[in-house]
Amino acid sequence: LPITDALKGSVAYRDSDYSSFGNKGTYRVDMGYTLNDMIKFRTSYNFAVRAPSIAGLYAPAGESFPSANDPCSSKGTVQTDAVRAICVATGVPADQVFTQAIDLAAQQVRSLVGGNPNLAPEEGENRTLGVVYTPSQVEGLRLSVDFWEIELENIFSSISAQQVLNRCYIDGPNQDPGFCAFVTRTASGNLQTARTSQINSAVNNVSGVDFVAAYDFDVDGYGSFTTAFDMVYYTKDEFAQATTSTPSESFGWYDGGADFRWRANASVLW
């Protein structure tokens, strides 16, 4: 939609009707301003909805027995007063904490898997602001910088049984009491189940900066080439399981997978 010769924008809206959730609307607004032949500014705002899949809702229930360590048993790797207090609060008798009496048989835990018919749609907001520089002095060269922020709510999450246990019990940046609701124990304090079916997590906030350098050129007798170098720097990656949980940063903490602040990709297209 041209507003002026230099300023252009677009607006989009879509309404979807789901039998499980009713009507959900999504929309997008973006604008671009061309300052001159070399510099262009751009910005956008998006609101998106993602409905859970049929498998996520209705996959047959089942169980598995993955390897795991009970943080409250003698095998617990972090045996602090803080962990002890959570163990007692979740049903382990005080005199059984960090003892062999509640060690897991064969170091395995019963994990409940399958669909979750209570899954709610995932919702997200995406904001971007960037600039594109195409220098007239170097034909075929394009440089861009984009600042972006994504806020997700009701995120579809699937994590391992050990991650559920770690995030419930072990003191650290990823500790989240919301995960304790997925752990059940027997009357004697032994670990009974850890639920790992897909769930809705409360929030995931991610932001960063994208840097892109691209160069198009021709080689006589060989055709056209496009080279590109894409790099992103994450300024934030926060996650919280429950609305009452304090969001925690994922950087600098290994919990089954690494989260990198810097990521890059180079490509050549012929």
Side-chain angles (χ1 to χ4, degrees):
L1 175 65
I3 301 173
T4 67
D5 289 340
L7 181 64
K8 297 181 180 180
S10 66
V11 178
Y13 178 84
R14 181 178 68 182
D15 185 75
S16 302
D17 187 10
Y18 300 96
S19 59
S20 301
F21 316 107
N23 287 76
K24 293 289 182 181
T26 58
Y27 50 90
R28 184 194 75 225
V29 178
D30 60 65
M31 298 189 71
Y33 176 71
T34 303
L35 182 64
N36 52 44
D37 291 340
M38 294 189 294
I39 299 175
K40 177 182 177 179
F41 297 96
R42 58 191 180 189
T43 184
S44 67
Y45 173 82
N46 296 266
F47 177 77
V49 173
R50 182 163 70 115
S53 66
I54 298 298
L57 288 168
Y58 306 116
E63 59 184 14
S64 63
F65 295 86
S67 298
N69 279 328
D70 183 353
C72 299
S73 72
S74 67
K75 305 292 186 180
T77 57
V78 182
Q79 299 187 8
T80 64
D81 289 341
V83 175
R84 178 186 295 273
I86 300 174
C87 292
V88 173
T90 54
V92 182
D95 60 348
Q96 301 293 316
V97 178
F98 304 143
T99 69
Q100 294 181 355
I102 58 171
D103 283 357
L104 287 169
Q107 294 304 110
Q108 292 179 302
V109 62
R110 180 172 177 250
S111 173
L112 303 181
V113 299
N116 179 0
N118 296 316
L119 280 178
E122 187 177 86
E123 297 183 356
E125 295 180 79
N126 181 3
R127 306 174 185 85
T128 67
L129 176 64
V131 59
V132 181
Y133 178 54
T134 309
S136 58
Q137 300 87 344
V138 184
E139 184 179 356
L141 178 64
R142 302 185 307 278
L143 305 172
S144 67
V145 179
D146 289 279
F147 301 87
W148 52 269
E149 181 179 36
I150 301 172
E151 297 180 359
L152 299 176
E153 297 181 351
N154 292 331
I155 313 138
F156 304 148
S157 297
S158 296
I159 64 175
S160 69
Q162 188 63 64
Q163 287 176 308
V164 169
L165 296 172
N166 289 348
R167 295 190 180 192
C168 169
Y169 291 101
I170 297 180
D171 186 25
N174 275 1
Q175 184 182 25
D176 190 334
F179 282 95
C180 295
F182 307 139
V183 178
T184 60
R185 293 184 176 274
T186 64
S188 58
N190 292 86
L191 190 59
Q192 188 172 39
T193 62
R195 180 160 59 89
T196 58
S197 58
Q198 203 169 52
I199 56 174
N200 284 115
S201 298
V203 65
N204 187 196
N205 296 327
V206 187
S207 61
V209 186
D210 286 346
F211 307 90
V212 178
Y215 181 55
D216 302 328
F217 61 95
D218 297 326
V219 178
D220 290 341
Y222 291 94
S224 301
F225 293 82
T226 297
T227 60
F229 179 74
D230 304 332
M231 184 170 62
V232 59
Y233 174 73
Y234 287 79
T235 58
K236 178 174 63 177
D237 189 354
E238 295 180 337
F239 175 87
Q241 169 55 36
T243 55
T244 55
S245 304
T246 301
S248 59
E249 281 279 6
S250 298
F251 302 115
W253 175 261
Y254 182 84
D255 188 21
D259 202 356
F260 300 98
R261 279 193 183 274
W262 288 97
R263 306 183 190 191
N265 180 58
S267 63
V268 177
L269 178 65
W270 177 40

